[in-house]
Amino acid sequence: MSKALLYDATACIGCKQCEQACADKNKLPYDEGTAAEDRQSAHKFTVVLSKGDKFMRRLCMNCSDPACASVCPVGALRKTAAGPVIYEEDRCMGCRYCMVACPFGVPKYEWNKVLPRVQKCTMCADKVAAGQQTACAEACPTGATKFGERDDLIAEAQQRLRENPGKYVNHIYGLNEVGGTSVLLLSSVPFEEFGYSTDLTRDPLPLLTYRVHSRIPDFVPLGGMLLGGIWWITHRREEVAAAEKAGPTSEPKEKLR
Ligand code: SF4
Ligand code: SF4
Ligand code: SF4
């Protein structure tokens, strides 16, 4: 069983407590200026968009078969059985293939940092692993963002559609898009009005990944190899420095070439 989030825009009041909770959880700054930003960024993993009295959340969809993970040459992004798509910054070599591959434009890069990371919502993976709900679901005062088993949330969304004819666009966004996602959306406003693509493939994402790879020019893998080399050297230096600090009897795992 895999966990998921169900966001029902018709229950959302636009209070942005999910944004605040996400920032707190991820130790990101959040003030009035941040609240006014309407784009996901390296310092804002979820946004609540508004059009009049209608709202919509955007965040990483934590796809069932994530394109970001399938293009990552070093396995820094990974789908977990529990649902979240996690990111291991120690593995990341900064090639940013994930940013090209994501069909939702989610991963962001810390361009202004000395040691930049890719940033995105990882569905509060540590909380989920500890049997807790995500910070955004916990903070939501109306239940518009709900955490649970994906299968249960799908059944609940289907029931809401069935019992409220005319209230919603008759579609659970994320049920089948790009092979299914761990974020499911219901809305009374067409999803495309909030920037969601409604013509996405239902294919498993490795197919999509193949298409992305075929669009990447030949010089990009060369750049990736170069970055990989820099990454390897940096990590070797850190490993040797740590071994030297530990004392004369402690050797690095391999000899430095
Ligand atoms: S939405 Fe993008 S970044 Fe998030 S899991 Fe899917 S492919 Fe990866
Ligand atoms: S699941 Fe966690 S990381 Fe993702 S938007 Fe919600 S609070 Fe932020
Ligand atoms: S906390 Fe809940 S009600 Fe408030 S903006 Fe987020 S999803 Fe909407």
Side-chain angles (χ1 to χ4, degrees), residues 1-252:
M1 293 286 271
S2 181
K3 304 291 184 188
L5 288 169
L6 171 61
Y7 170 74
D8 184 338
T10 68
C12 180
I13 56 173
C15 66
K16 301 198 177 191
Q17 288 190 43
C18 48
E19 289 188 3
Q20 172 83 64
C22 179
D24 293 347
K25 165 71 183 72
N26 292 291
K27 298 186 172 57
L28 297 167
Y30 192 82
D31 57 18
E32 274 184 22
T34 322
E37 293 172 14
D38 61 359
R39 286 169 185 269
Q40 293 168 88
S41 68
H43 62 265
K44 188 168 182 179
F45 299 169
T46 183
V47 292
V48 180
L49 303 175
S50 60
K51 277 193 172 189
D53 61 351
K54 307 292 184 197
F55 304 100
M56 177 56 71
R57 282 192 70 187
R58 304 262 343 206
L59 66 162
C60 170
M61 302 297 281
N62 289 275
C63 306
S64 303
D65 196 353
C68 59
S70 60
V71 295
C72 181
V74 291
L77 288 152
R78 181 164 55 85
K79 178 74 174 176
T80 61
V85 174
I86 60 169
Y87 171 69
E88 292 176 74
E89 64 185 70
D90 289 349
R91 288 173 170 247
C92 180
M93 63 179 195
C95 67
R96 303 187 297 281
Y97 279 11
C98 53
M99 294 171 67
V100 180
C102 174
F104 301 101
V106 169
K108 303 296 177 205
Y109 200 58
E110 295 177 317
W111 294 102
N112 56 354
K113 294 218 171 154
V114 180
L115 294 171
R117 294 165 297 178
V118 168
Q119 290 283 34
K120 74 170 197 74
C121 151
T122 51
M123 212 177 132
C124 295
D126 53 343
K127 284 171 73 67
V128 172
Q132 299 165 12
Q133 53 179 332
T134 63
C136 53
E138 218 164 55
C140 181
T142 65
T145 295
K146 187 173 177 181
F147 176 81
E149 296 289 345
R150 186 171 188 269
D151 289 349
D152 294 346
L153 292 176
I154 290 169
E156 185 169 338
Q158 287 168 335
Q159 188 180 1
R160 289 187 200 181
L161 290 180
R162 215 171 31 244
E163 292 179 355
N164 300 281
K167 180 177 178 182
Y168 297 99
V169 173
N170 189 24
H171 183 66
I172 304 169
Y173 196 94
L175 179 59
N176 294 311
E177 277 77 10
V178 293
T181 65
S182 291
V183 174
L184 305 162
L185 308 171
L186 287 177
S187 175
S188 61
V189 175
F191 293 99
E192 54 269 37
E193 290 192 22
F194 283 105
Y196 280 98
S197 301
T198 48
D199 57 355
L200 289 172
T201 176
R202 293 177 161 215
D203 291 342
L205 282 180
L207 280 177
L208 184 66
T209 302
Y210 170 77
R211 287 179 211 129
V212 169
H213 270 307
S214 68
R215 288 208 309 267
I216 294 173
D218 289 345
F219 65 82
V220 174
L222 283 176
M225 284 166 67
L226 180 63
L227 286 167
I230 294 168
W231 175 88
W232 185 85
I233 290 165
T234 306
H235 277 246
R236 286 296 294 159
R237 281 187 185 149
E238 285 169 359
E239 189 177 311
V240 171
E244 283 174 349
K245 202 172 164 190
T249 55
S250 177
E251 293 285 332

